[in-house]
């Protein structure tokens, strides 16, 4: 087993320490000051969720909290300076993500108002719309809904049924939901509070459908719907019940022609449609791509929730004792059990990877939206990176929350310790802003064809044909999501069994090779598809859909690992870097162990090497990291007002100390009960 190990990190001095303060600053990232300011605000009880509050009361409370955010001027960061904003797109999301500490309902309702409704006006509208509509949206004078999703079409936005037909006689658009499945659904602010909505509809001018566009549509005057507008309350949900989700439908609703958010497509006073983007498909994806910040922010919020859960669970696991060890009769701290370490420390490693990857994503997002790097390729890279990381982090967050809850036993099930409510609230994160399985298909297409011209709108036959001709090492290396740094060929033949696993290079080789091989095998099965009929090609592509998604998720895992590895280069303190290297190794080897069947089947690992990886995790990495577990979660920087979980406040340690003192007194006084022993035979 010794040759599994990079010997430069295999041993450590007994007094090895982590610089917790410096590590905490590293985790906060580029927008450290913005995050800290948001966290300071979230300490205040007025922003905290009240456990057990009714849905109606929770909705009222969250709306009031939004008004307090406006008063604190903490919602303007992404908006233009000429309207009172800061033009700080990355800082805006960093600030927004931290609101999950107080209440995910507050975070998401804030996202609906300023990250979707107002952002759509900002990014899809022009100066006229900014002047006319943004001040009300920014100040919350006009609470708004983002009316994209329909009952019948959620992920397939291009096929929505709502129409906006231009009427030249009145110079207006007429909004219709022609059938029940076209009703807008699951919309925040729609049930009660929304006064206007950005409505996505098929734009029809002179009998020609120009595809999906967005329009600013007033929907209420106070509490009453305007004529032609109707809707329902979605009612109680599985979580996020501080948000008034609901449905909207439209019958002959008229809005001025100038309410069309026309940055990418305009209808002039003569009823003539024009667009700077000739291709309807490219125009659609450009418009949708401007709203990618929702996915970026959900990735960040999932990281925040994961950190909260692990801070609570690891603190509790370091204090709670259970079962005597047979030596001096003292019970054992839970985190000293190997299984407990496996459950929590491996997920701690995942959370660190997610945190570093998110900061990389946030940097990319800011560069694109600030105009620093805003080419079409840059935007496509951002969209694909956001899709990959949002899928990984939101699924991982649910796993982390559930395992943390279970690791705290009955105490974890108490609402006061927050796991159950956080788990309920984050459940929907894997679905909205893009269902994860659908998002991973976007990633897979990018892996297969590097977003060749026209690829996103190609039918199944065209997609499959492009796959067959372009997939392979070049397509993977030019995916735009990452630079491989080293090509697969630098590692030697993929056909041979990997003879040893050693340090970062070995982890990179195994993780990279898995993605490459999975994509190449799918391409091989799609060869000759260009000679098939459209229906046959579609069936063949569908037959490989599951493996395409698995390949995309493998790529997301690789991205997370690479972000963690790159972050190590920025750690100056020797002790901190050594511990984080072990944590990175735990993340990498856990991924390889998770996919051991694939590596064995494909001849990349022998059974002995696969077993050695498991032994290395259990015998070397977990014991090393156990000593630093509390420091690693302390670096998250949460105050008691953020945690608000009794089991993370030291109360359990006090109870345990009291129990130990009680039994020590009994023993000292000679009053301790005598344990029954089995009679000798």
């Amino acid at each position: 087993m010794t040759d599994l190990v990079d010997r430069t990190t295999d041993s450590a001095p007994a007094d090895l320490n982590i610089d917790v303060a410096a590590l905490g600053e590293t985790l906060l990232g580029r927008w450290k000051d913005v995050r800290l300011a948001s966290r300071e605000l979230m300490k205040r009880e007025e922003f905290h969720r009240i456990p057990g509050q009714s849905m109606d009361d929770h909705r009222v409370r969250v709306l009031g909290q939004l008004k307090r955010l406006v008063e604190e001027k903490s919602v303007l960061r992404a908006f233009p300076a000429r309207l009172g904003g800061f033009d700080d797109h990355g800082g805006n999301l960093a600030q927004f993500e931290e609101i999950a500490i107080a209440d995910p309902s507050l975070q998401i309702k804030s996202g609906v108002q300023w990250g979707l409704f107002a952002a759509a006006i900002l990014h899809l509208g022009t100066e006229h719309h900014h002047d006319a509509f943004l001040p009300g949206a920014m100040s919350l004078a006009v609470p708004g809904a983002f009316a994209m999703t329909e009952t019948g079409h959620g992920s397939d936005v291009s096929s929505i049924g709502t129409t906006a037909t231009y009427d030249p006689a009145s110079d207006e658009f007429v909004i219709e939901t022609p059938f029940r499945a076209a009703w807008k659904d699951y919309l925040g602010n729609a049930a009660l509070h929304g006064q206007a909505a950005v409505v996505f509809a098929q734009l029809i001018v002179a009998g020609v459908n120009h595809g999906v566009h967005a329009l600013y549509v007033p929907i209420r005057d106070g509490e009453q719907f305007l004529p032609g507008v109707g809707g329902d309350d979605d009612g109680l949900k599985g979580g996020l019940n501080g948000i008034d989700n609901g449905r909207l439908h439209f019958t002959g609703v008229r809005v001025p022609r100038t309410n069309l958010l026309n940055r990418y497509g305009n209808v002039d006073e003569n009823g003539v449609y024009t667009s700077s983007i000739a291709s309807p498909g490219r125009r659609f994806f450009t418009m949708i791509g401007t709203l990618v910040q929702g996915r970026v922010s959900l990735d960040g919020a999932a990281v925040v929730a994961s950190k909260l859960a692990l801070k609570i669970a690891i603190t509790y696991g370091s204090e709670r004792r259970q079962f005597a060890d047979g030596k001096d009769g003292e019970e054992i701290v839970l985190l000293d059990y190997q299984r407990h370490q496996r459950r929590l420390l491996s997920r701690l490693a995942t959370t660190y990877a997610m945190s570093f990857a998110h900061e990389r994503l946030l940097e990319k997002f800011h560069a694109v939206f600030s105009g620093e790097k805003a080419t079409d390729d840059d935007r496509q890279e951002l969209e694909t990176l956001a899709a990959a990381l949002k899928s990984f982090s939101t699924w991982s967050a649910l796993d982390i929350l559930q395992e943390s809850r279970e690791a705290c036993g009955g105490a974890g099930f108490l609402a006061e310790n927050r796991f159950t409510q956080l788990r309920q609230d984050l459940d929907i994160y894997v679905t909205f802003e893009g269902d994860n399985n659908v998002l991973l298909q976007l990633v897979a297409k990018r892996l297969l064809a590097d977003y060749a011209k026209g690829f996103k709108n190609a039918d199944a036959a065209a997609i499959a044909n492009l796959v067959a001709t372009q997939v392979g090492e070049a397509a993977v290396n030019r995916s735009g999501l990452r630079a491989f740094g080293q090509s697969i060929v630098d590692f030697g033949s993929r056909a041979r069994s990997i003879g040893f696993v050693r340090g970062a290079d070995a982890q990179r080789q195994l993780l990279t090779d898995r993605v490459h091989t999975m994509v190449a095998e799918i391409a091989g099965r799609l060869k000759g598809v260009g000679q098939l009929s459209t229906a046959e090609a579609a069936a063949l592509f569908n037959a490989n859909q599951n493996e395409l998604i698995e390949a995309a998720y493998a790529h997301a895992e690789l991205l997370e690992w690479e972000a963690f590895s790159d972050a190590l280069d920025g750690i100056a303190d020797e002790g901190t870097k050594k511990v984080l290297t072990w944590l990175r190794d735990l993340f990498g080897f856990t991924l390889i162990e998770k996919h051991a069947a694939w590596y064995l089947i494909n001849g990349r690992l022998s059974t002995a090497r696969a077993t050695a990886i498991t032994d290395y995790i259990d015998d070397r990495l977990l014991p090393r990291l156990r000593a630093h577990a509390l420091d690693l979660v302390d670096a998250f920087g949460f105050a008691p007002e953020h945690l608000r979980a009794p089991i993370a406040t030291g109360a359990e340690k006090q109870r345990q100390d009291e129990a130990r003192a009680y039994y020590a007194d009994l023993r000292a006084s000679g009053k301790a009960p005598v344990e029954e022993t089995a009679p000798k035979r």
Side-chain angles (χ1 to χ4, degrees):
M1 196 174 72
T2 56
D3 61 351
L4 277 170
V5 185
D6 181 349
R7 305 308 299 184
T8 62
T9 63
D10 189 37
S11 60
D15 59 349
L16 184 70
N17 292 311
I18 292 175
D19 186 336
V20 175
L23 178 56
E25 290 200 6
T26 298
L27 290 170
L28 288 168
R30 172 176 169 180
W31 289 275
K32 176 189 71 173
D33 292 341
V34 175
R35 287 192 185 277
L36 290 176
S38 185
R39 286 191 183 186
E40 192 65 27
L41 196 61
M42 292 305 110
K43 284 183 179 180
R44 287 154 53 170
E45 189 175 353
E46 64 190 291
F47 292 110
H48 298 169
R49 187 184 188 280
I50 298 175
Q53 193 171 38
S54 70
M55 180 183 74
D56 291 339
D57 289 344
H58 195 190
R59 287 174 169 184
V60 171
R61 180 174 177 81
V62 170
L63 180 62
Q65 291 168 335
L66 256 64
K67 294 175 181 177
R68 291 291 296 126
L69 291 178
V70 173
E71 293 169 7
E72 295 289 340
K73 302 185 185 302
S74 65
V75 300
L76 304 177
R77 190 164 291 277
F79 296 104
R82 70 181 186 84
L83 295 176
F86 298 91
D87 290 309
D88 181 7
H89 300 279
N92 176 63
L93 291 197
Q95 166 187 270
F96 168 76
E97 292 155 8
E98 299 294 333
I99 297 175
I101 293 170
D103 182 359
S105 282
L106 174 58
Q107 183 218 1
I108 297 303
K109 192 171 174 80
S110 300
V112 169
Q113 179 66 25
W114 294 294
L116 292 176
F117 174 62
I121 298 169
L122 175 63
H123 296 301
L124 299 180
T126 50
E127 190 168 317
H128 158 71
H129 305 107
H130 299 167
D131 292 338
F133 304 134
L134 269 182
M138 292 166 63
S139 68
L140 200 63
V142 181
F146 183 78
M148 176 184 283
T149 297
E150 295 181 355
T151 305
H153 282 99
S155 299
D156 185 8
V157 178
S158 64
S159 297
I160 58 176
T162 301
T163 59
T165 304
Y166 179 63
D167 179 0
S170 62
D171 198 29
E172 294 173 319
F173 285 103
V174 183
I175 316 295
E176 297 275 356
T177 46
F179 44 86
R180 177 60 182 81
W183 284 21
K184 300 298 183 180
D185 211 343
Y186 319 117
L187 315 178
N189 279 340
L192 295 173
H193 303 143
Q195 299 297 302
V198 171
V199 177
F200 288 79
Q202 304 287 349
L203 192 73
I204 300 172
V205 181
V208 178
N209 186 347
H210 293 282
V212 176
H213 289 63
L215 303 94
Y216 183 93
V217 181
I219 60 172
R220 280 190 181 90
D221 181 6
E223 296 183 1
Q224 300 300 316
F225 280 125
L226 292 170
V229 181
D232 294 328
D233 192 326
D234 280 329
L236 190 68
K237 308 183 295 293
L240 298 178
N241 281 302
I243 307 170
D244 56 322
N245 293 92
R247 307 178 186 95
L248 294 174
H249 56 84
F250 306 93
T251 304
V253 175
R254 291 177 173 268
V255 297
R257 173 181 54 82
T258 53
N259 279 27
L260 173 67
L261 300 179
N262 61 344
R263 180 176 178 183
Y264 296 106
N266 183 54
V267 177
D268 67 18
E269 62 274 12
N270 298 314
V272 177
Y273 177 86
T274 57
S275 173
S276 59
I277 304 174
S279 164
R282 183 164 169 258
R283 183 167 60 241
F284 169 75
F285 279 101
T286 299
M287 287 191 285
I288 298 301
T290 64
L291 306 172
V292 71
Q293 65 186 34
R295 294 169 189 171
V296 178
S297 63
L298 290 184
D299 177 54
V303 174
V304 170
S306 298
K307 290 177 178 177
L308 276 173
L310 287 165
K311 169 62 178 174
I312 295 169
I314 287 176
T315 299
Y316 182 73
S318 300
E319 298 173 354
R320 171 74 171 178
R321 293 178 179 272
Q322 199 75 271
F323 301 108
D325 63 5
K327 297 176 182 177
D328 55 11
E330 186 175 25
E331 292 182 302
I332 301 172
V333 171
L334 290 182
L335 203 56
D336 285 342
Y337 287 106
Q338 184 189 70
R339 178 59 181 168
H340 217 74
Q341 294 169 13
R342 262 284 190 163
R343 298 170 77 180
L344 296 182
L345 298 186
S346 63
R347 288 169 173 84
L348 180 61
T350 298
T351 300
Y352 264 78
M354 287 159 49
S355 183
F356 291 129
H358 177 68
E359 290 305 313
R360 174 177 286 185
L361 173 61
L362 205 55
E363 292 270 7
K364 181 67 177 176
F365 169 79
H366 184 76
V368 168
F369 277 73
S370 68
E372 295 171 11
K373 295 182 179 179
T375 66
D376 285 345
D377 284 345
D378 289 321
R379 289 186 174 276
Q380 289 175 350
E381 287 176 21
L382 171 63
E383 292 164 20
T384 315
L385 184 60
L389 298 189
K390 182 265 187 183
S391 299
F392 182 93
S393 65
T394 54
W395 271 329
S396 294
L398 294 186
D399 170 69
I400 290 163
L401 285 163
Q402 182 64 26
E403 197 66 36
S404 295
R405 201 292 298 160
E406 292 182 30
C408 293
F413 196 59
L414 298 181
E416 66 179 9
N417 290 316
R418 301 193 65 192
F419 295 120
T420 54
Q421 189 60 57
L422 284 170
R423 177 64 173 74
Q424 286 176 270
D425 287 339
L426 265 74
D427 197 333
I428 192 62
Y429 282 34
V430 305
T431 300
F432 66 10
E433 295 300 319
D435 178 278
N436 285 356
N437 282 285
V438 176
L439 292 181
L440 288 174
Q441 291 182 70
L442 183 153
V443 178
K445 289 179 181 180
R446 186 68 184 272
L447 286 171
L448 290 171
D450 194 26
Y451 274 96
K453 184 178 179 180
F455 180 63
K456 289 184 291 183
N457 297 320
D459 59 23
I463 290 172
N465 187 56
L466 202 54
V467 167
T469 57
Q470 295 193 13
V471 78
E473 183 177 319
V476 176
N477 288 338
R478 292 167 48 243
S479 68
L481 299 181
R482 56 182 291 278
F484 265 75
Q486 299 183 61
S487 173
I488 291 291
V489 296
D490 294 335
F491 295 130
S493 170
R494 292 185 293 109
R496 67 180 177 84
S497 174
I498 296 173
F500 57 88
V501 181
R502 199 177 193 85
D505 287 345
Q507 293 172 54
R508 179 181 288 108
Q509 178 178 353
L510 288 166
L511 295 171
T512 302
D513 183 54
R514 182 165 182 262
V515 178
H516 175 95
T517 303
M518 293 173 79
V519 173
E521 286 180 350
I522 295 167
R525 291 196 292 273
L526 294 174
K527 283 183 178 178
V529 73
Q531 284 71 51
L532 301 177
S533 69
T534 299
E536 291 171 329
L540 182 58
F541 187 76
N542 186 58
N544 288 279
Q545 183 183 43
N546 185 62
E547 291 185 62
L548 279 168
I549 290 172
E550 288 187 4
Y553 194 75
H555 194 75
E557 293 174 332
L558 175 60
L559 291 171
E560 300 280 354
W561 182 90
E562 284 195 321
F564 200 153
S565 295
D566 290 345
L568 292 175
D569 294 336
I571 305 296
D573 179 72
E574 182 180 349
T576 304
K577 187 168 187 174
K578 191 177 289 288
V579 173
L580 285 186
T581 299
W582 295 335
L583 196 65
R584 189 278 317 275
D585 291 346
L586 177 59
F587 178 61
F589 283 129
T590 300
L591 289 176
I592 294 166
E593 182 188 55
K594 172 185 172 184
H595 302 300
W598 186 93
Y599 288 108
L600 290 167
I601 290 170
N602 288 275
R604 302 309 194 269
L605 284 176
S606 66
T607 55
R609 295 298 174 190
T611 302
I613 287 174
T614 295
D615 291 342
Y616 183 51
I617 291 172
D618 291 339
D619 299 341
R620 305 298 290 273
L621 290 176
L622 294 178
R624 291 175 188 165
L625 290 166
R626 164 64 183 95
H628 305 284
L630 284 174
D631 282 345
L632 288 167
V633 293
D634 284 348
F636 294 155
F638 295 128
E641 298 92 334
H642 297 139
L643 298 173
R644 304 192 305 284
I647 59 173
T649 61
E652 179 62 27
K653 185 177 187 302
Q654 182 178 346
R655 284 193 290 266
Q656 294 285 339
D657 289 345
E658 289 172 354
R660 293 161 70 191
Y662 170 77
Y663 285 113
D665 288 345
L666 282 181
R667 286 191 293 270
S669 65
K671 296 179 180 179
V674 178
E675 292 186 6
E676 181 179 356
T677 58
K680 295 181 179 179
R681 293 185 178 181

